[in-house]
Every structure is written in structure tokens, then in C-alpha cells.
Amino acid sequence: MKKTTKKFSFNGFGQLTIPLIAIALLVVFNLIRDPGFFSIGISHNSNGNAVLSGNLISIINGASELAILAMGMTLVTAACGGQDISVGAAAAIAGSVFVKVLKASSSISGVTVILAFLCACVVAMIFGSFNGTLVAVFRIQPMIATLILYTCGRSIAYWINGGATPTVTSSIVNAIGSFIPGIPVPTPVIIVVVMGILFWLLFHFTSLRLFTQSVGINGSAARLNGIDARFIKLLSFIILGVCVAVSGCIGVSRLGLINHETLLLDVEMDTILAVAIGGNNLGGGKFKLSGSVIGAYVIQMLTITLYAMKVSSTDVKAYKAIVIILLVVIGSPVIKEKFSRFLARLSDKRRKVSVKGAEE
Amino acid sequence: MRKLRALFLVTVLVLCCMAVACGKGDDDGLIKVGVVNNPPSESGYREANVKDMENVFSEANGYKLQTFYSKSNDEQLQAAQGFITDGVDYLLISAAETTGWDDVLKKAKEAGVKVYLFDRMINVDESLYEAAVVSDMAAEGDTAVNWLLAQNLPEYKVIHIQGAMGSDAQIGRTGALDAQFASNKMTKVVQQTAAWDEAEAKKIVESVINSGEDFNVIYAENDGMAKGAVAALDEAGITHGVDGKVVIIGFDCNRWALRELLAGKWNYDGQCSPFQAQIISDLIKSGKAPATKKIINEEKGFDAKTLTQADIDTYGLGD
């Protein structure tokens, strides 16, 4: 009985406690600063569609690429106990392929967009399996293995399209990046939901979650139980490849332009951060995708808050770092343990008091 | 097997050496030029710059061109050293960093190699190079701001999106606008750096729109960031361009950006000319020492109302 109350007081939402507290704090802070911060309005975009607008929409919309990458990164983290730092570069490659295929066709129809996306997917999955092979077969540490693609990825993206920033003008691509006519919700947000559902289906109908966790917790034990650890690790990188392709294509569609040097720049660090804020163990093992997704929204909310406060964007990173240090320290096992011991002592005292009261 | 493989490798090596030696053999009468530049992958600007160099310093024009592209200053220094040892007549440099070039340039002088700097200045004594052909970024900013003032808007509420802080282009293009903010002729709604990142520029403009603040000018320090800013306006349904509410200013004259101008969606694009090769070639061919050490590459600004398709074909970068 005592144990359950203790758990409830600090770990009511399990590993989601920290990210949820972070979101709550940011919401409260923003509401005090500007009560109208989260108000959602309806405006008409330049195509004349009624669309939702406001800071909340900006946050949820802007975090889409990060959220999708965080889902894939969680899986890689859980299976391999390490992170892929090449997602930004790989997304630049996928985006470049997307643009290349679109530009190769004379007129852009729905079919060409789907074809371009599939090509981007295949290329990203190939690069994913390259990383995966290095990690799973050759047992190179994930960070070192993916450092290769991190270093050369944007050069490869350059080879695909050349140095200038090619642009695509198409109402379909524009709809993917902003709004589909008649639907007031930004399309990237819808894509995040679809990706979430796909992952849920994957975990629901296969044993991938169980296998990934067991490989992450103890690879050799998993192998002795008949799980092909190499395959699971490789698979996690390939799935991340799909996520990379999706977010790369969203990034390109937002502006109808690919700049291989700046597309999703530094996103790998934000992605790893999102996984960490989500309470996932970066050493592998148990994981929760929802935590990472919330982590992604925390990061984006932080950025938008700082922009709204007109903090100079050169300083934004420093402020972000401060908040993140706090979050990570509060979420660390040492602080968690101290805190729960403190709570236990409190409840002990209270019980003693109540016992005394009963005796009297 | 091992012997065979060794033999094969030796043959390949010998062939390579021969190829290099042959390549060196046929330079009769050609002016040997070594170019040390940043890699074309850096930007659309650099790509056009590299192509221009290769076109102007062609064999048809009487040159023998050797090139080296790198973002790393150390590698550039080594390559320059190599060109001097090779005995080039002219060394053309666009350095990755402004420091560390003294020794190499002194060696060039001793060896009788004439040095021209292009695009970027280097922190060395003027006597070490013949001339520097560079863009005047501050002039680019001035031209743009003067154009803006000439529009006689009733008020100037400016969103200023800066490039990577500390870069030449950012400092030059920011200076002109900062002067206007200081003299209160224009109001600064927000001034943020997006570090050349289109998506970041969009976020900055989005946050201003969400805050409900009024603005009527977006001054973005390159084309990509201007495009990001315009994407945010489009989502919010704010009109822009020639007949719109918000005046859009970009820089670099990418071809796609000039097309936006021609369509009336943007108002102004400032040129940053990557075409220094012809100026340097003329100097080399004239055989005279240039009158000044610092030669400013003339640059234009394009107004959407007067831009023509011919301008796009001549001055546009990329595709």
C-alpha cells in the first residue's frame, strides 16, 4: 500500500512525468506572461481557405518534423543503446531526392508526388540500412557509425541537385507543407498523427516492441531466446529511415525549396534531446514513443516562447540549454531517488503522527 | 597471386605518374593560373563563381587553369603552396579564413607569382597581392535601403531577418538598415538572425504575426530567408509584393527569386555578384599594375516594376 502511494506521488504518469511537468510549466509561464498566448484564431490564407492560426498551432505545426524523427530515434535508441546523429543530413538527402524526382517530371500531379516520396523513402531506407549494418553487423558504436553519414550527408545531397537552391512550385507540394484546401489543420500535423497511428498498429500487431526492448536490455539474452538481435537493430534504423524521409519531404514542402545546407540543420541534437526529455533511457531498453513526441513539443514550445519574448535568436540556444539542463537534472535517477526518499520520509512522519494521534 | 597484385598496383602507379607528367607537358604559351576557392557546394553563389572562373580562364582564352576547392583554411594553404611549387604565373585566392596567409603569400612573392584575391579579403599587408576584387556588402545594403526610402511609404515597420551573425554579408547588409533604425526613419518591429535558414525565417515571421504586431516591410538578407518569410505571410493570408501590404526585400539574385519578382510577389532583390573572373582576366591581360588595391565589383539592385526576363537570364544564379 505504502509503495503504491509513493509511486503515485512522484511517478503517477511513469516516465511521462517530467515531460508533462515541463509542458505544464511552459503553459503556465506563457499564460502569466500573456494570457492570450494560446488563443487560436481562424484566418484566411492567401488561397482563401479558412485555417487555424495562433501560437499553439505554430508550436504543434513547427514541431512536426522533430516529432516524427523522435519516434524513429526512440526505436533506434531502445534497440541499439545509442543514437543516430545523421538524421539531419539524411533528411537533406531524402529532400533532395524528392525535389530531383519532382523536377524531372514535366507536370506535377498527385502520382508524381507519391512517386517522389517513395523514391525519397527508398533512398533514406538504404542510408538507414547502411548505418544499421555498421551498428548491427560490425558492432560499431552508433554515434561513430552515423558520424560518417553526418559528415558526408550534406555533400551527397549537394551532388543530387547541384549547389543552387532548387525550387518547386506546385499546389500539391504546397498543400503538403501548409494546408489542404478545406481542412483548417496544418497538413504536417495530420502527417504526425498518421505516423503515430502507423507506429501504434506496428506495435499492436507485431511483437516489435517486446523484441526491441529485450534486445536493448540484454542483447545476448535476447539472442539465446531466439530473437535475431542484428535484424532488430537493422530494422530500427530502416524504420528511422522512413521517418527521415517523411520529415525531409515535409521540410521541403513547407517552402517549396531545398537548401541542402540548412534543411533540418542541427535537428539530430534536438531529436536526441526529445528522446531524453521523454524519459527514455538513452542506454537502450524500455521506451515510450509518446514521451519522445511530448519531448519534441516541449522543445518547440520553448523555442516559440523565446521568440515571442523577442529573445535574440543568437541567444535562444543558450536559454534553451539552461531549461534543458534543469529538465535533464530533475529527470535524472539520482534526483528521482532522492525525491522519492524525501516523500517516503514525509509520509512516514505523517503516519507516525497519525498513529500517535490514534493512541491518544 | 600476391605478386600479380603487386605488379598490377605498380603498373597503375606508373601510369598515373605518366598521366600527371603528360598533363604538365603541354602548357606552351598558356598563362598558368592557380585558383584556390571554397567548394561549389557551399551555395548557389559559389557554384556560379566557380563556373565563371572555369569559363573565363579557359584554354580558348589562353589560360591553363588549376583549381582547388575546400572549406578548410589549412587545406587551402597547402594547395596554394603546391601551386607555387608547380610554378603557376598567377594565384587567385578566395580564402576560407582571413588569417594565416602571410607565409604563403611571401613565398609567392619570392617565387614571382602574382596574387589576386577575389570575393574575400585576407588580413595581410597590401604589398603581398596585386589587387583584391570584392563585393562591397555595405554598398549592397545601402542600395537596398535607398531603394526602400525612395518608395515613400507612409511608415516603415520592418521585420529584419539577418544572416549568420559575423559573416561579411550579414554585417554589410545589416549596417545600412541599422542606421535607419537609429535615425528613427524606420521602426524595428523585430530583428533576428535566422542564420541563412529558410525554416527559421518562417518561424520568426510567424511569431510576429501571432503576436498581432503590425509590419509592412520584410528585409531578409538572402533569398532563401525571404522565401521562408513569404511562406509565413501566405499561410496567414497577408498580401505581399507589388500590390500587396508587405514589401519583400531579398538578396543574391537567384533565378527563382528574380522570377518571384517578375511575378510581382516580391519587390526588390539585391545582387551579390560572383562574376570577378573577367575583371581579373582583364587586369592580367593588360599587364599593368591595377590603380587601386581594392577593386569593388559593381552590383545592381532589381525592382520588381522594372525587372525584365533578360535581366533574369543575365544576372540570375542557379536555375
Side-chain angles (χ1 to χ4, degrees), chain A residues 44-46 51 54-55 58 158 162-165 167 178-179 255-257 259-262 300 307 310-314, chain B residues 40-41 43-44 47 71 165 189 192-193 196-200 203 206 210 213 227-228 231 234-237 256 318:
Chain A
H44 291 267
N45 70 4
S46 54
V51 297
N55 280 313
S58 288
Y158 160 71
T165 47
T167 51
S178 55
F179 294 92
L255 300 163
L257 163 149
N259 181 344
H260 59 91
E261 285 294 339
T262 57
Q300 189 66 19
Y307 272 140
K310 289 201 180 167
V311 173
S312 154
S313 44
T314 36
Chain B
S41 61
S43 57
E47 195 185 32
K71 268 187 191 174
M165 299 303 279
V189 175
Q192 287 278 34
T193 174
W196 313 127
D197 185 344
E198 299 81 10
E200 208 62 33
K203 277 184 206 162
E206 233 173 61
N210 287 339
E213 262 177 287
K227 190 166 171 84
D234 279 338
E235 277 186 12
W256 56 262

